[in-house]
Amino acid sequence: MPWSRIKPDTNEPDFSNDVLLDNKAGRRIAYAEALNEALFQALSLDPRVFVMGQGVDDPSGMFGATRGLHLKFGADRVFDTPLAETALSGVAVGAALGGMRPVYFHNRPDFLLLAMDQLVNHAAKWHYMFGGAACVPLVFWACVGRGWGSAAQHSQALQGLFMHVPGLKLIMPATCFDAKGLMLSAIADKNPVLIIDHRMNFKQRGLVPEEPYTVPIGKGVIRRKGRDVTVVAISHLVAEAYAAAQELAEEGIEAEIIDPRTLRPLDEELILESVARTGRLVVTDTGWKTGGVTAEIGAMVAEKGFASLKAPIVRVCNPDLPTPSGYTLERAYYIGKDDIKAGIVKAVRGS
Amino acid sequence: MPWSRIKPDTNEPDFSNDVLLDNKAGRRIAYAEALNEALFQALSLDPRVFVMGQGVDDPSGMFGATRGLHLKFGADRVFDTPLAETALSGVAVGAALGGMRPVYFHNRPDFLLLAMDQLVNHAAKWHYMFGGAACVPLVFWACVGRGWGSAAQHSQALQGLFMHVPGLKLIMPATCFDAKGLMLSAIADKNPVLIIDHRMNFKQRGLVPEEPYTVPIGKGVIRRKGRDVTVVAISHLVAEAYAAAQELAEEGIEAEIIDPRTLRPLDEELILESVARTGRLVVTDTGWKTGGVTAEIGAMVAEKGFASLKAPIVRVCNPDLPTPSGYTLERAYYIGKDDIKAGIVKAVRGS
Amino acid sequence: MPLTTKARLQLFRTMLRIRRVQERIESEYMKDEMKTPVHLYIGQEAIASGVCSSLRDDDAINSNHRSHGHYLAKGGDLNAMMAELFCKSTGCSRGYGGSMHLVDVAHGNMGTSAIVGGGIPIATGQGLAFQMQKLDRVSAVFFGDGAADEGTLYESVNFAMLKQLPVVYVMENNGWAVCSPTATRHCGDNVFHKGAGDRLFTAKIDGNDPELVFDTAEKAVAHARSGQGPAFIECVTYRILGHAGCLQQDPKGYRDPAEIELWRERCPVCTYQRKLLELGVLSHSLLTELEAVISAEIDAAFEFARTSPLPTADVLHNHLFCE
Amino acid sequence: MPLTTKARLQLFRTMLRIRRVQERIESEYMKDEMKTPVHLYIGQEAIASGVCSSLRDDDAINSNHRSHGHYLAKGGDLNAMMAELFCKSTGCSRGYGGSMHLVDVAHGNMGTSAIVGGGIPIATGQGLAFQMQKLDRVSAVFFGDGAADEGTLYESVNFAMLKQLPVVYVMENNGWAVCSPTATRHCGDNVFHKGAGDRLFTAKIDGNDPELVFDTAEKAVAHARSGQGPAFIECVTYRILGHAGCLQQDPKGYRDPAEIELWRERCPVCTYQRKLLELGVLSHSLLTELEAVISAEIDAAFEFARTSPLPTADVLHNHLFCE
Ligand SMILES: Cc1ncc(C[n+]2csc(CCOP(=O)(O)OP(=O)(O)O)c2C)c(N)n1
Ligand SMILES: Cc1ncc(C[n+]2csc(CCOP(=O)(O)OP(=O)(O)O)c2C)c(N)n1
Ligand SMILES: [Mg+2]
Ligand SMILES: [Mg+2]
């Protein structure tokens, strides 16, 4: 598929990534490789870990993320599944209850809609519903399939749905470093964790230490310091927001870019502290606007950080429409650097 | 089941319901009867309308809403279904495409999680995905099953999920008048509409005209005028908010109560106009807080009505937890009049 | 192979105990002390009792909204169950779950879902976990004819057959899902009976005959445990009381009274009792003793439940996540 | 009953046309003008052609991601399809849908879902609508062996059997779902073959034999149209090219080249062409003419698509709701 042409290989921006600085130096590898390395290490280190999903043993290996794992760990621990997302999600829940640590690759978030009953009615509630008697350590993974006419059913960024579900942890990494570290954290977590990746991230390259490490779930990071406005950006939009901020610096606007990395639990403190300094908030997300991630972050600040706010919050999202397929419509549909720039300017200058 | 004991028969408060005032006088009937009458009339007036769902021909008739319909209209037009929510939701989509007007009673929102693929990937996208070539007029219905130990899987108020979905209309009536008028509007609509009712409403009695009428989808209503604070309340919380406001009037706080009736499309104008007058916003919803309905309404006001806001927005919701089953825990879990009162006081006095 | 006297008495005791517990719940339900929806198992006791008798302590079961019988037959603690129904913090789920969400980790009951069909894939996954860990444990799952409407059954059985998982699917066909008879929901016999015969141990049996259930289950469990793959047992039975709550709360008129009468006569507990008395396995004095022991146990459990503390608001936020 | 010469030629023409369209798409795909994922139907032409020949114009079809063949066989406009692949506003879905979401209301193709298994219940519902309106229309649905993994199939077929709906389920078993062979996903033959025989017209046939497909479909359609209920036809076939895109984009190494070779020899278009030539139904001159007509038609369709206008940003918000 020519998906790959929608975003060529690039290096990540040189974020001021305090997490990485504390660590040993990394090699520059691709996002998919970082994920693959995390899975490789998790499978090596913990015999309870296994990887399942339609196509995980394909030659393409889930855009590279699962490539080669079945050859190393065998078909018992890395296996293809029938196209039966509803029940197989329950199988993952059951396997977790039976002592295993399943990692279920769901390909695209669109298909997770078939897994909602097991994810929301079962996995997310199990620990609470039994007063703590049992737990469901599992990882669900999906990758937003934007681009190349993927259209309405193959490109949805559905984090706005999942962010609403208590009992579920929701992760959306933006860097290669986090892709690996958060995958390892998710697998180590005793609770259901959903990781939503984005195809636009898959070909970027960033610094990743070789040894296994974890990135804490629930901790965001400031990717760029700035005094004028706080920009909370999700997933691949962190890079877009960063580029927007670099350009705006020339116009004298200094935007602070926050990458929450985890949407649930959300690092509210980090966001509120930043807004306390800047007085302005832009939130940008790869999903729909209404009732989505930007709604929660915006409302949270209007509730807990109102006193610092000097201007209306600004939300920069894809429009509230199914994704159209044609490229001219796609172009009109998807937001990027320029939309974020406009949003920042609006937050700072009022229009 | 002793569900019924959780809320005894009551009359609706005497809302300043401008809609009803324009209409002929009504009789005082129960909410379930109003719904039943709407279905009865829709089935009589339009041969394309039919009612399906697990238990619609039960003696209990879906808490009364569908009672007796099958006797009048026959098993062809009012029929029980297998417990197969995933496919049967697609059957409803197909029936709509085939020229019918299905009304699918899903009992509880919890079970809609099995229908997400058809609802979100199919029904909501069909018209747009084909550039307008086909449309899917259908009504899905579910009733929040709060109370009496319904616990985590039988009591969810999931409107926070559905409000995020473009292409879907989402209705949550609060009065008997609206229950009937919005059901008739939903059935007449050419698009997929989801109605989420609440069991706490089912035994209330209100004025309902006998003849068929519609209530416009997307139009909210002010249930009580007030100068000090705008309270947007959803579903059965409209009555709770109203009671809270009446009590607070004695303390000199005049709250304006808005019942949006439709969550999608949302009557943003009505809310913004009110906030422009009051400068303060409380939003209260029967669902979870994070990423839910109050997030969207709060963020929308912080975005479009920021200039009028004099104080932090306040969100009054159930905590972000699965519903516990025991009654002491339920009591701690569910919000009501007193929580809304506290929220209003906080919005007005700052604590 | 006929059962030993001991095994027969054990089987009967399990059934009788479930019956008496259910009867007591039913008779006390209108007091509104148990503020939880209850789905009574009266009429279906032979199934849980027969199947669980064929399981080891470390085998898993998975169940559904009508779970009291399964929980007890697998060894669940009666006090903890009653306390759960009374919404107490001494309940098996600490009052967070209620009647539809029983749990008993010590006996392989890892928690109960009240979403119809929801437990079937979970049980399948437990079977997968046992297979992957090379344990010789079996995962059994109880579900109704209503759950057999759901696609999760098809998907799960396909997967279990594909992977030869040690899962025993026990369908309790009691003829009804709430007020809907099976005939309005099923196209005929469940397709697995005929469709998958060569890859799946299948049987359709009288679910009111405890020895037949035990016998069939024992074969199915042996089949699954030995790595030969899953088994599917349909047990034909009847729910004698209402769908939920106590009888007077059940809607009237959806079932033919004659049908109920017929099945009351086929009551598994009475029938088996009669048989064991006739065979001399059970004596009247032993029966009286049994009844007394069970009755005392139930009294004690209700007392325990009634006097146990209620969970307080300050624990509301506990247990959302496992630390 | 052997087909008339006219019917045979018609059947062949349909297959050949689908083949040539697919080939042209494949050969032009790397130019990146069609910015849409394409799933080519090469190797499976006999199925869409045979089944649709048995349908009336006002019968419905429902399809899946691999829909070009179904769309064309049912009478879909080639220009509108190509324009859709070129993302143009003259496309059948005005450029909102792309290759996976074709629509042709005039011929009963009410829109195509790319969610595997998503179209099956929708087609079932269309059958329900026809039955309720007492129309003698039939609803046919094409889906792959991958879709047969999904519970929606089980639920849908159960419902269709229960209500005796006029639905013809056509499973195109091409042996693969992306890179997963059927054997890693199915427990054996689809359970409907044996399981539901008495309530469901079922057949498992060579899907590369267009006359056999037509013949079986005609019987199935007659069965459904006459109110005798649904039918299930499994057509065994093969996807000769890659899962998506053109061949050079298909991952290497997941299929045995010998397997592909074997099926290339069993190519339904070439085999049927050879047969018709041998039987004298088709002459070489007629074939040349047919090829020329089709080729010209394809040229025109590509030209139409290339020169059609692109949708502009101002229509982005149209069509969310039907007014
Ligand atoms: C997915 C889902 N749909 C509907 C319900 C409501 N419901 C609870 S029990 C029940 C009937 C189940 O019938 P069956 O599986 O035969 O079990 P039985 O009650 O007869 O023991 C229904 C419809 C539910 N809990 N879950
Ligand atoms: C529910 C769902 N899961 C996964 C996918 C991704 N996917 C698209 S086509 C396909 C393979 C389908 O195989 P099959 O039904 O046999 O059709 P074929 O491609 O062989 O024609 C998959 C897995 C999807 N579109 N929908
Ligand atoms: Mg039943
Ligand atoms: Mg296939």
Side-chain angles (χ1 to χ4, degrees):
Chain A
M1 303 297 280
W3 311 124
S4 47
R5 292 184 217 166
I6 59 171
K7 194 178 176 190
D9 298 14
T10 46
N11 283 343
E12 286 171 3
D14 287 323
F15 297 128
S16 59
N17 186 337
D18 28 8
V19 181
L20 184 56
L21 298 182
D22 294 351
N23 273 274
K24 351 264 163 309
R27 305 132 310 145
R28 195 169 282 280
I29 61 173
Y31 195 95
E33 291 170 318
L35 268 177
N36 191 255
E37 191 165 272
L39 293 171
F40 196 97
Q41 293 174 346
L43 283 159
S44 301
L45 294 171
D46 187 343
R48 298 170 303 174
V49 174
F50 68 96
V51 176
M52 62 187 276
Q54 206 281 319
V56 292
D57 57 359
D58 276 10
S60 72
M62 204 62 72
F63 320 117
T66 62
R67 191 172 294 147
L69 294 175
H70 64 295
L71 300 175
K72 168 78 182 174
F73 298 99
D76 282 352
R77 292 185 68 200
V78 181
F79 60 84
D80 196 14
T81 60
L83 277 148
E85 291 84 352
T86 311
L88 269 295
S89 299
V91 166
V93 173
L97 289 171
M100 302 298 289
R101 299 247 161 177
V103 182
Y104 186 174
F105 271 70
H106 264 279
N107 204 322
R108 303 192 196 218
D110 313 69
F111 312 151
L112 284 174
L113 291 168
L114 284 158
M116 291 295 274
D117 172 55
Q118 284 296 333
L119 204 46
V120 181
N121 277 334
H122 294 87
K125 296 183 171 36
W126 210 262
H127 191 63
Y128 190 83
M129 196 156 68
F130 302 105
C135 65
V136 180
L138 60 76
V139 179
F140 278 17
W141 180 94
C143 181
V144 178
R146 162 175 173 179
W148 208 268
S150 287
Q153 296 177 331
H154 279 71
S155 62
Q156 290 168 90
L158 296 174
Q159 58 269 24
L161 297 181
F162 297 107
M163 195 180 183
H164 189 45
V165 181
L168 199 63
K169 300 190 179 181
L170 175 58
I171 292 174
M172 294 188 73
T175 66
C176 300
F177 180 87
D178 286 349
K180 176 173 171 182
L182 285 166
M183 175 60 84
L184 285 170
S185 287
I187 293 174
D189 203 283
K190 292 199 182 117
N191 301 284
V193 181
L194 171 60
I195 302 176
I196 300 185
D197 267 324
H198 200 290
R199 193 193 273 158
M200 298 289 272
N201 281 340
F202 257 63
K203 303 207 90 189
Q204 81 193 25
R205 306 175 77 80
L207 289 176
V208 178
E210 192 164 352
E211 66 271 30
Y213 61 93
T214 57
V215 168
I217 294 177
K219 279 259 157 261
V221 60
I222 295 175
R223 295 290 182 199
R224 183 185 192 280
K225 295 262 180 203
R227 58 164 190 260
D228 297 323
V229 53
T230 300
V231 181
V232 180
I234 314 296
S235 186
H236 88 94
L237 293 176
V238 173
E240 300 287 318
Y242 187 84
Q246 295 294 81
E247 290 184 18
L248 284 170
E250 291 166 26
E251 298 182 30
I253 297 177
E254 288 295 341
E256 178 145 310
I257 311 292
I258 291 186
D259 171 5
R261 304 195 285 200
T262 310
L263 290 179
R264 192 145 188 177
L266 180 70
D267 193 342
E268 299 190 352
E269 239 169 87
L270 184 74
I271 297 170
L272 290 168
E273 269 169 25
S274 174
V275 173
R277 278 183 280 108
T278 65
R280 295 166 203 275
L281 177 70
V282 175
V283 196
T284 181
D285 180 38
T286 60
W288 296 304
K289 181 177 176 181
T290 299
V293 168
T294 65
E296 174 55 33
I297 297 176
M300 185 274 290
V301 171
E303 190 186 20
K304 302 182 182 172
F306 181 78
S308 348
L309 273 182
K310 294 181 224 152
I313 63 158
V314 174
R315 298 154 75 185
V316 183
C317 307
N318 299 325
D320 283 327
L321 296 169
T323 316
S325 97
Y327 55 97
T328 49
L329 295 173
E330 269 188 349
R331 217 178 281 148
Y333 181 82
Y334 282 113
I335 53 156
K337 185 193 69 182
D338 292 341
D339 308 272
I340 299 172
K341 240 170 112 171
I344 294 174
V345 170
K346 190 173 168 197
V348 174
R349 301 202 181 128
S351 68
Chain B
M1 302 299 278
W3 311 123
S4 50
R5 293 183 216 169
I6 57 171
K7 192 179 177 191
D9 298 14
T10 46
N11 284 342
E12 284 172 4
D14 288 322
F15 296 129
S16 58
N17 185 338
D18 29 10
V19 182
L20 183 56
L21 297 181
D22 295 350
N23 273 273
K24 350 261 162 312
R27 308 131 309 145
R28 197 169 280 279
I29 61 175
Y31 195 95
E33 292 169 317
L35 267 179
N36 191 255
E37 193 165 270
L39 293 170
F40 196 96
Q41 293 173 344
L43 284 159
S44 301
L45 295 170
D46 188 342
R48 298 171 303 175
V49 175
F50 70 95
V51 176
M52 61 187 277
Q54 206 282 321
V56 293
D57 58 357
D58 275 10
S60 71
M62 204 62 72
F63 320 116
T66 63
R67 192 172 294 147
L69 294 175
H70 65 295
L71 300 175
K72 169 76 182 174
F73 297 100
D76 283 350
R77 292 185 67 201
V78 181
F79 59 83
D80 195 16
T81 60
L83 278 147
E85 292 85 352
T86 310
L88 269 293
S89 298
V91 166
V93 173
L97 289 171
M100 302 298 289
R101 299 245 161 179
V103 183
Y104 186 174
F105 273 70
H106 264 280
N107 205 323
R108 305 192 196 215
D110 314 69
F111 311 153
L112 285 173
L113 291 168
L114 284 158
M116 290 296 273
D117 173 54
Q118 283 296 331
L119 203 46
V120 180
N121 277 333
H122 295 87
K125 297 183 170 37
W126 211 262
H127 191 62
Y128 190 83
M129 196 155 68
F130 302 105
C135 66
V136 181
L138 61 75
V139 179
F140 277 18
W141 180 94
C143 181
V144 179
R146 164 177 171 175
W148 207 268
S150 286
Q153 296 177 328
H154 279 70
S155 63
Q156 291 168 89
L158 296 174
Q159 57 269 24
L161 297 181
F162 297 107
M163 194 179 185
H164 188 46
V165 181
L168 200 64
K169 299 189 179 181
L170 176 58
I171 292 174
M172 294 190 71
T175 66
C176 301
F177 180 87
D178 287 347
K180 178 173 171 184
L182 285 167
M183 175 60 84
L184 284 170
S185 287
I187 294 175
D189 202 285
K190 292 200 181 114
N191 301 286
V193 181
L194 171 60
I195 302 177
I196 299 185
D197 269 325
H198 200 289
R199 192 192 273 160
M200 296 289 272
N201 281 339
F202 257 64
K203 304 209 90 190
Q204 80 192 28
R205 306 175 77 80
L207 290 176
V208 178
E210 192 166 352
E211 66 272 30
Y213 60 93
T214 56
V215 168
I217 294 177
K219 279 258 157 264
V221 61
I222 295 174
R223 296 290 183 198
R224 183 184 192 281
K225 297 263 183 203
R227 63 173 185 255
D228 297 322
V229 53
T230 300
V231 181
V232 181
I234 314 296
S235 185
H236 89 95
L237 293 176
V238 173
E240 300 288 317
Y242 187 85
Q246 295 294 81
E247 291 185 19
L248 284 170
E250 291 166 26
E251 298 183 29
I253 296 177
E254 289 295 341
E256 177 146 311
I257 311 291
I258 291 187
D259 171 5
R261 303 195 285 199
T262 310
L263 290 180
R264 191 144 189 178
L266 181 69
D267 194 343
E268 298 189 353
E269 242 169 83
L270 185 75
I271 297 170
L272 290 168
E273 269 168 27
S274 174
V275 174
R277 278 184 280 106
T278 65
R280 294 166 202 275
L281 177 71
V282 174
V283 197
T284 181
D285 179 38
T286 60
W288 296 304
K289 180 176 176 183
T290 298
V293 169
T294 65
E296 174 56 32
I297 297 176
M300 187 273 292
V301 170
E303 188 187 22
K304 301 181 182 173
F306 181 77
S308 347
L309 274 183
K310 293 182 226 152
I313 64 159
V314 174
R315 300 154 74 187
V316 183
C317 306
N318 299 324
D320 283 328
L321 296 169
T323 317
S325 98
Y327 55 97
T328 48
L329 295 174
E330 269 188 350
R331 216 179 281 149
Y333 181 81
Y334 282 113
I335 54 156
K337 187 192 68 183
D338 291 340
D339 307 272
I340 300 173
K341 241 171 109 170
I344 295 174
V345 169
K346 189 171 169 200
V348 174
R349 302 204 179 125
S351 65
Chain C
M1 186 184 61
L3 288 169
T4 63
T5 295
K6 194 171 154 225
R8 283 174 148 166
L9 282 175
Q10 182 56 36
L11 193 53
F12 175 67
R13 204 194 88 86
T14 305
M15 289 170 66
L16 185 70
R17 183 161 170 271
I18 296 172
R19 169 65 56 95
R20 295 296 175 246
V21 171
Q22 302 297 290
E23 284 172 347
R24 186 75 67 92
I25 293 170
E26 137 94 1
S27 75
E28 305 233 350
Y29 193 62
M30 290 305 280
K31 290 187 187 166
D32 280 356
E33 288 175 295
M34 293 172 261
K35 296 189 204 303
T36 181
V38 291
H39 300 81
L40 301 177
Y41 198 60
I42 289 182
Q44 308 183 203
E45 295 88 345
I47 301 169
S49 308
V51 171
C52 291
S53 302
S54 76
L55 296 172
R56 297 195 318 224
D57 259 13
D58 67 344
D59 288 331
I61 63 158
N62 203 295
S63 163
N64 62 0
H65 56 286
R66 199 173 302 286
S67 63
H68 305 170
H70 313 131
Y71 169 94
L72 291 173
K74 190 62 172 53
D77 181 62
L78 180 59
N79 283 359
M81 176 178 123
M82 287 318 307
E84 192 59 39
L85 270 61
F86 275 77
C87 309
K88 299 300 179 72
S89 57
T90 51
C92 59
S93 304
R94 300 187 195 212
Y96 290 68
S99 157
M100 301 192 291
H101 304 297
L102 303 179
V103 66
D104 175 19
V105 169
H107 295 92
N109 180 348
M110 299 300 289
T112 310
S113 169
I115 296 294
V116 171
I120 298 173
I122 295 178
T124 308
Q126 289 178 273
L128 175 68
F130 298 158
Q131 186 189 65
M132 292 183 92
Q133 292 166 93
K134 304 202 184 345
L135 302 170
D136 69 344
R137 294 166 64 185
V138 167
S139 169
V141 52
F142 300 92
F143 56 93
D145 48 290
D149 305 3
E150 299 276 5
T152 51
L153 179 64
Y154 171 78
E155 293 181 356
S156 298
V157 173
N158 177 49
F159 186 70
M161 286 161 72
L162 188 68
K163 299 272 176 198
Q164 300 272 87
L165 301 181
V167 184
V168 178
Y169 297 91
V170 183
M171 171 174 163
E172 304 191 50
N173 186 349
N174 63 10
W176 294 87
V178 196
C179 305
S180 310
T182 313
T184 69
R185 297 177 292 104
H186 286 203
C187 59
D189 259 2
N190 190 284
V191 290
F192 295 114
H193 295 150
K194 298 178 226 159
D198 49 343
R199 295 258 192 150
L200 185 69
F201 174 107
T202 55
K204 178 169 183 163
I205 59 171
D206 176 3
N208 281 21
D209 178 343
E211 296 194 4
L212 179 59
V213 173
F214 170 75
D215 205 52
T216 312
E218 206 174 42
K219 290 195 186 91
V221 168
H223 176 90
R225 200 183 306 284
S226 62
Q228 294 174 76
F232 187 97
I233 307 174
E234 176 176 344
C235 302
V236 178
T237 184
Y238 197 73
R239 143 170 82 68
I240 292 178
L241 299 187
H243 169 67
C246 61
L247 195 51
Q248 66 192 98
Q249 296 171 318
D250 203 44
K252 303 290 167 284
Y254 69 95
R255 299 199 289 188
D256 183 352
E259 176 181 301
I260 304 175
E261 211 29 63
L262 189 86
W263 283 94
R264 273 193 190 281
E265 277 160 31
R266 302 201 58 239
C267 160
V269 181
C270 321
T271 313
Y272 197 44
Q273 175 176 314
R274 219 177 304 123
K275 175 173 165 180
L276 294 190
L277 283 170
E278 272 165 22
L279 287 173
V281 171
L282 184 67
S283 68
H284 283 282
S285 65
L286 184 55
L287 180 60
T288 312
E289 195 189 311
L290 257 182
E291 291 274 20
V293 169
I294 289 171
S295 177
E297 202 196 346
I298 296 174
D299 288 346
F302 271 72
E303 177 66 13
F304 173 79
R306 277 207 177 88
T307 56
S308 282
L310 284 158
T312 48
D314 58 294
V315 303
L316 180 67
H317 286 265
N318 294 357
H319 308 305
L320 178 60
F321 289 116
C322 181
E323 300 311 323
Chain D
M1 188 185 59
L3 288 170
T4 64
T5 296
K6 198 176 146 216
R8 283 175 149 165
L9 283 174
Q10 183 56 39
L11 194 53
F12 176 65
R13 204 193 87 85
T14 306
M15 289 170 65
L16 185 69
R17 186 162 168 267
I18 296 172
R19 168 67 56 97
R20 295 297 174 246
V21 171
Q22 302 299 290
E23 284 172 346
R24 186 75 67 89
I25 294 170
E26 136 95 1
S27 74
E28 305 234 349
Y29 193 61
M30 289 305 279
K31 289 187 188 166
D32 279 357
E33 288 175 293
M34 293 172 264
K35 297 189 204 302
T36 181
V38 291
H39 300 81
L40 301 177
Y41 197 59
I42 288 182
Q44 306 183 206
E45 295 89 346
I47 301 168
S49 308
V51 171
C52 290
S53 302
S54 77
L55 296 172
R56 297 195 319 225
D57 260 13
D58 69 343
D59 287 332
I61 61 157
N62 204 295
S63 164
N64 62 359
H65 56 287
R66 198 174 302 287
S67 63
H68 304 168
H70 313 130
Y71 170 94
L72 291 173
K74 190 62 175 47
D77 182 62
L78 180 60
N79 283 359
M81 177 180 123
M82 285 318 309
E84 192 59 38
L85 269 62
F86 275 78
C87 309
K88 298 303 178 72
S89 58
T90 51
C92 59
S93 304
R94 299 187 196 212
Y96 291 68
S99 157
M100 301 191 293
H101 304 297
L102 303 179
V103 66
D104 174 19
V105 170
H107 295 92
N109 180 346
M110 299 300 289
T112 310
S113 169
I115 296 294
V116 171
I120 298 172
I122 294 178
T124 308
Q126 288 178 275
L128 175 69
F130 298 158
Q131 185 189 67
M132 292 184 92
Q133 293 167 90
K134 306 204 184 339
L135 301 170
D136 69 343
R137 294 167 65 187
V138 167
S139 169
V141 53
F142 299 93
F143 54 93
D145 48 289
D149 306 2
E150 298 276 5
T152 53
L153 178 66
Y154 171 78
E155 294 181 357
S156 297
V157 172
N158 177 47
F159 187 69
M161 286 162 72
L162 188 69
K163 298 272 176 198
Q164 299 272 89
L165 300 181
V167 183
V168 178
Y169 298 90
V170 183
M171 172 175 163
E172 305 191 51
N173 185 349
N174 64 10
W176 294 88
V178 197
C179 305
S180 311
T182 314
T184 68
R185 296 176 294 104
H186 285 205
C187 59
D189 260 0
N190 191 283
V191 289
F192 294 113
H193 295 149
K194 299 178 227 159
D198 48 342
R199 296 258 192 149
L200 184 69
F201 174 108
T202 54
K204 177 169 183 164
I205 59 171
D206 176 3
N208 280 20
D209 177 343
E211 296 195 3
L212 179 59
V213 172
F214 170 75
D215 204 55
T216 312
E218 206 174 44
K219 292 195 186 93
V221 169
H223 176 91
R225 200 184 304 288
S226 62
Q228 294 173 77
F232 188 97
I233 307 174
E234 177 177 342
C235 301
V236 178
T237 185
Y238 198 73
R239 146 169 80 68
I240 293 179
L241 300 188
H243 170 66
C246 59
L247 194 52
Q248 66 193 98
Q249 295 171 319
D250 203 44
K252 303 292 166 280
Y254 69 94
R255 301 198 286 188
D256 184 351
E259 177 182 299
I260 304 176
E261 212 30 64
L262 188 85
W263 282 94
R264 274 193 191 278
E265 276 160 32
R266 301 202 59 238
C267 161
V269 180
C270 321
T271 313
Y272 197 42
Q273 176 176 314
R274 217 178 303 125
K275 174 172 165 182
L276 294 191
L277 283 170
E278 273 165 22
L279 288 172
V281 171
L282 183 67
S283 67
H284 283 282
S285 63
L286 183 58
L287 179 60
T288 312
E289 195 190 313
L290 258 181
E291 292 274 20
V293 169
I294 288 171
S295 175
E297 203 196 343
I298 296 174
D299 288 345
F302 271 72
E303 177 65 14
F304 174 80
R306 276 205 178 92
T307 57
S308 282
L310 284 158
T312 48
D314 58 295
V315 303
L316 179 68
H317 286 265
N318 293 356
H319 310 302
L320 178 60
F321 288 116
C322 181
E323 301 306 327

